[in-house]
Amino acid sequence: MTFSTEHFTSFDGTRLAVHTIGQGRTFILLHGLFSSSDMNWIKWGHAQRIADAGYEVVMLDFRVHGESDAPQDPAKYPQNVLVRDVVALIEHHGADDYDLGGFSLGARTSLHGVAQGVLQPARLVIGGMGTAGLGEWEKRSSFFKRVIEEFDDIKQGDPAYFSKQFLKSQGVDRTAARMLLETMPDMDLERLQTVTMPTLVVCGDEDRDNGSAQDLADLLPNATYVEVPGTHMSSVTKPEMGEAIANWLTEGE
């Protein structure tokens, strides 16, 4: 099956990487914070599994992540910049009719874009996200800001140590990452009422990092909730995540 990587220029001139596998209906898939398309979707076989179900899986590396640029100019970080990058991807790809999915940061970016009316997928997949990751993002964000600001002083035993090691392993530009974190506002959960398309909420059975995924599913007008094994970090490494997404997409056809 054909796999390709290309780069395109987003709305502000930032060069972003997009990875594509498969043929069929377009499914845009977004990764988590400080991760990448490869780490979340390609490495563990999820993209392949969804492609095998008859989809063209289009995976964006967010700015400051993966193979995309990490600009140092503060002007490159307006509010909701990641939503604007997804809009630019859709325009670049020429996708008029598409499905959209994301894990963690990719999920909250998708929900913000749909709630703002600038992303209009036919179906939506929300992975590893709960109500707190939307309505109380500032609290979650402050944890990551601390990881960045105290990076060299965080030792083993500190609750932030694992996040520090993950950030280091992914080669994230911490200056750019700090600016990116400032672009992500809290969401008024009442806006979820505007997310009316069929939606899959899928989350690890031990994943509480972003609050309750079940509560999030209950707030969405047309959602199905599916639990898969794992924590926030491990659920996305297990085959059940990709299988749950592929099965839901094909059942909805």
Side-chain angles (χ1 to χ4, degrees):
M1 187 171 289
T2 303
F3 176 85
S4 66
T5 297
E6 65 169 323
H7 289 81
F8 73 100
T9 300
S10 192
F11 69 96
D12 64 347
T14 300
R15 189 167 173 266
L16 303 179
V18 59
H19 314 275
T20 305
I21 185 171
Q23 292 181 317
R25 180 174 175 80
T26 299
F27 181 47
I28 295 167
L29 199 49
L30 308 173
H31 62 77
L33 183 66
F34 304 144
S35 190
S36 64
S37 298
D38 181 63
M39 179 57 68
N40 277 175
W41 304 122
I42 299 167
K43 181 177 182 179
W44 310 108
H46 306 317
Q48 183 70 62
R49 174 71 181 83
I50 297 164
D52 287 343
Y55 287 82
E56 176 195 38
V57 185
V58 179
M59 296 162 281
L60 175 68
D61 280 347
F62 287 131
R63 64 179 63 203
V64 196
H65 296 77
E67 297 178 35
S68 291
D69 285 354
Q72 297 275 336
D73 181 359
K76 299 289 188 180
Y77 297 93
Q79 190 171 75
N80 276 316
V81 64
L82 298 185
V83 172
R84 296 179 69 176
D85 284 339
V86 178
V87 172
L89 168 65
I90 291 167
E91 291 174 351
H92 168 76
H93 193 72
D96 295 322
D97 185 18
Y98 62 93
D99 300 320
L100 173 66
F103 181 79
S104 196
L105 174 62
R108 80 179 299 282
T109 301
S110 299
L111 283 169
H112 270 269
V114 172
Q116 293 167 23
V118 295
L119 298 177
Q120 298 177 322
R123 291 175 296 175
L124 185 61
V125 174
I126 298 301
M129 182 52 57
T131 49
L134 296 165
E136 301 173 26
W137 169 252
E138 284 295 333
K139 293 180 182 178
R140 183 86 171 129
S141 177
S142 65
F143 171 81
F144 294 114
K145 289 174 186 174
R146 184 196 156 221
V147 173
I148 291 168
E149 290 161 4
E150 301 178 19
F151 191 84
D152 294 327
D153 299 320
I154 295 171
K155 309 298 183 188
Q156 272 187 293
D158 189 307
Y161 183 75
F162 184 82
S163 294
K164 168 191 171 174
Q165 292 300 102
F166 185 72
L167 208 69
K168 188 175 181 180
S169 72
Q170 298 302 298
V172 174
D173 181 315
R174 299 198 299 276
T175 300
R178 180 66 174 79
M179 290 189 286
L180 183 65
L181 286 170
E182 294 291 347
T183 72
M184 305 175 193
D186 284 344
M187 175 186 278
D188 178 353
L189 297 182
E190 290 187 5
R191 298 190 72 174
L192 293 173
Q193 290 301 307
T194 66
V195 183
T196 56
M197 67 283 296
T199 302
L200 170 67
V201 177
V202 56
C203 193
D205 57 4
E206 300 176 72
D207 182 0
R208 302 294 180 269
D209 279 27
N210 287 302
S212 172
Q214 178 70 72
D215 287 352
L216 173 58
D218 291 344
L219 288 173
L220 291 165
N222 194 8
T224 300
Y225 179 62
V226 173
E227 232 172 38
V228 295
T231 63
H232 193 68
M233 293 300 293
S234 69
S235 61
V236 80
T237 72
K238 298 177 184 294
E240 288 88 349
M241 177 66 75
E243 290 166 4
I245 294 171
N247 291 342
W248 181 80
L249 287 171
T250 53
E251 285 169 5
E253 292 177 345

